Amino acid sequence: KCNRIHNKPTISQTILFKHLYDNPHTAIVIAEGNKVSDEALQEALKHFENFYESIFIELANFGELLELNVCDNLGDHLIGNVYAKFNSEEEAEKAYKGLNGKFYNDKQVIAEYSPVTNFKESRCRQYEEGSCGRGGFCNFMHLKYVSKHFKSSLFEQMYAEHPEYRKIKRERSRSHTKKKVHHRHSSSESSLG
């Protein structure tokens, strides 16, 4: 029922895995803005972190992950959606081909390329400030919180298991720097006449 036009690209750095995360009941209660016991909160957090880690490690086998986000929304079109942004479209394509139609926890993986490459534009700022009046049915992404320490440890693990990703990143960085240096040099020559 959305009145906005959502273009589905034929290729992208970002893949959407529709409804891949099954929120436990406690997580849904929290997303609705209700309070739960500390024990229930810890159990929901552990459930989510186990999911996040397993998906992160699996996706990292296809290419260098730049971001992994899971929606906390309750609306039918966003609930449980997982967005994986890779370093390149080629890596995202490998993941798409390798996972689309497969099964994860008895659930078929439904993948599609996403036009979202900048999550700052698509996430709900009010939710991040703790004040979204639309609650879990907001049409902007309410992204599940992942601690910096936890996320950092997963990136370290990815680079330890795939050291080639760092090598590729360094080569790209050097190539980009050389182009800038060469460009500056040639422009200064032309200005000297």
Side-chain angles (χ1 to χ4, degrees):
K1 295 181 181 179
C2 183
N3 60 3
R4 294 182 183 218
I5 297 171
H6 295 280
N7 297 318
K8 292 184 180 179
T10 56
I11 190 81
S12 173
Q13 279 181 272
T14 306
I15 299 177
L16 160 61
F17 297 99
K18 296 179 106 178
H19 315 300
L20 188 59
Y21 179 64
D22 278 328
N23 275 305
H25 176 72
T26 304
I28 292 172
V29 170
I30 295 166
E32 290 175 335
N34 298 311
K35 294 193 184 260
V36 297
S37 70
D38 287 345
E39 185 179 290
L41 181 62
Q42 287 303 314
E43 188 176 311
L45 179 61
K46 184 175 180 170
H47 179 271
F48 173 67
E49 286 184 344
N50 287 338
F51 167 83
Y52 192 91
E53 181 177 16
S54 70
I55 292 298
F56 190 101
I57 299 304
E58 178 64 28
L59 291 171
N61 290 322
F62 293 97
E64 182 183 8
L65 275 175
L66 300 180
E67 287 188 64
L68 181 63
N69 293 301
V70 180
C71 287
D72 206 18
N73 302 67
L74 299 175
D76 290 340
H77 63 298
L78 289 173
I79 191 168
N81 284 355
V82 176
Y83 292 84
K85 182 179 177 182
F86 288 87
N87 189 51
S88 70
E89 291 176 349
E90 294 77 18
E91 291 169 333
E93 183 178 28
K94 281 181 6 187
Y96 177 91
K97 288 179 177 178
L99 297 173
N100 193 35
K102 301 285 197 267
F103 285 83
Y104 176 81
N105 283 350
D106 298 325
K107 183 183 253 189
Q108 188 170 24
V109 176
I110 301 168
E112 62 183 49
Y113 293 112
S114 173
V116 179
T117 56
N118 182 349
F119 290 91
K120 287 181 183 178
E121 298 298 319
S122 59
R123 63 181 159 209
C124 177
R125 287 175 190 83
Q126 292 173 340
Y127 173 75
E128 292 175 353
E129 295 167 0
S131 64
C132 180
R134 293 169 293 234
F137 294 94
C138 179
N139 285 320
F140 286 92
M141 290 181 189
H142 288 192
L143 300 179
K144 284 192 161 293
Y145 175 76
V146 181
S147 76
K148 287 182 181 181
H149 175 73
F150 182 63
K151 197 181 284 189
S152 179
S153 70
L154 291 173
F155 276 97
E156 286 175 20
Q157 184 177 346
M158 175 180 69
Y159 289 123
E161 291 177 9
H162 303 280
E164 68 275 16
Y165 297 164
R166 285 189 191 261
K167 183 180 177 189
I168 291 167
K169 188 173 266 186
R170 281 194 304 268
E171 287 172 359
R172 263 193 234 112
S173 177
R174 282 188 207 136
S175 159
H176 186 67
T177 304
K178 284 179 184 177
K179 285 179 186 176
K180 281 185 175 180
V181 170
H182 178 67
H183 179 69
R184 286 185 193 145
H185 181 69
S186 61
S187 65
S188 66
E189 284 180 352
S190 62
S191 66
L192 293 174

